[in-house]
Amino acid sequence: MPRRRKKRRRLEVTRVPREKATLSEYDRSTVPAGLVTRRQLRDMQLSPGGNEGPVAILRCKLCATRPQWSCRHPTRGYLLRVDLAVPKRVPTLAQEWALDQAMAARQTCGQCRRRFYICLSKKLGCCLECFDGTPADPSSLMTLPAPAVHRLAA
């Protein structure tokens, strides 16, 4: 006899009148200038930096049809001030090198030592060509830089 599945509880949304909401709320078309979401900050190459927390709430589409209730859904967005945002940090060369080494370990076949643009399966431990003979697409392989040529005069 199969086991009974547990019923998932639906996320309860508590209704709070809009006038008792702690943060001001805006619909998608009525957001004032100077307030943006985290994703919009990222597109502007900024990070929330000096913002202590959200200034306002961007109401979800469902709550836009209910103007008297405050938006308490998990899909709501938080609005941050642009003037308090700071530029994104630029990684150092050592950090970029370390990330490249980590990605190289995930993208290099353990048997043929070729590096691919995609991360290889940890379950197989190698590329498909080494595993079952399926030929690799040449466009999926990274071309290795040419070896350094000795150019000394002596």
Side-chain angles (χ1 to χ4, degrees):
M1 181 172 181
R3 286 191 287 174
R4 296 181 76 195
R5 288 187 179 179
K6 286 185 177 180
K7 287 187 178 181
R8 285 189 183 179
R9 283 190 341 177
R10 289 187 61 174
L11 185 64
E12 295 294 326
V13 177
T14 58
R15 285 188 159 187
V16 176
R18 194 163 181 186
E19 62 269 4
K20 292 184 180 177
T22 56
L23 294 173
S24 56
E25 298 184 2
Y26 297 101
D27 291 327
R28 295 180 188 277
S29 60
T30 62
V31 176
L35 295 181
V36 293
T37 61
R38 287 181 68 93
R39 187 169 289 180
Q40 290 169 330
L41 276 179
R42 187 178 63 215
D43 291 342
M44 291 188 272
Q45 301 296 319
L46 298 172
S47 67
N51 287 301
E52 287 82 29
V55 178
I57 293 176
L58 180 65
R59 293 167 59 89
C60 65
K61 288 182 181 180
L62 179 66
C63 289
T65 61
R66 300 182 177 107
Q68 70 275 13
W69 294 108
S70 171
C71 183
R72 296 284 177 214
H73 291 98
T75 57
R76 67 181 175 215
Y78 292 107
L79 297 171
L80 304 166
R81 290 176 46 185
V82 177
D83 57 343
L84 295 178
V86 295
K88 288 173 89 173
R89 294 186 302 161
V90 178
T92 63
L93 289 177
Q95 288 172 332
E96 287 186 7
W97 182 81
L99 287 172
D100 185 56
Q101 293 299 311
M103 287 305 292
R106 296 175 66 192
Q107 295 171 341
T108 304
C109 176
Q111 294 178 2
C112 64
R113 308 304 299 165
R114 292 185 296 175
R115 186 170 175 183
F116 291 82
Y117 282 109
I118 59 168
C119 293
L120 299 176
S121 170
K122 290 168 66 174
K123 186 176 181 181
L124 297 179
C126 59
C127 63
L128 283 177
E129 190 168 346
C130 294
F131 181 70
D132 63 0
T134 305
D137 184 18
S139 64
S140 68
L141 291 170
M142 286 191 184
T143 57
L144 297 175
V149 179
H150 182 56
R151 295 183 188 259
L152 295 177

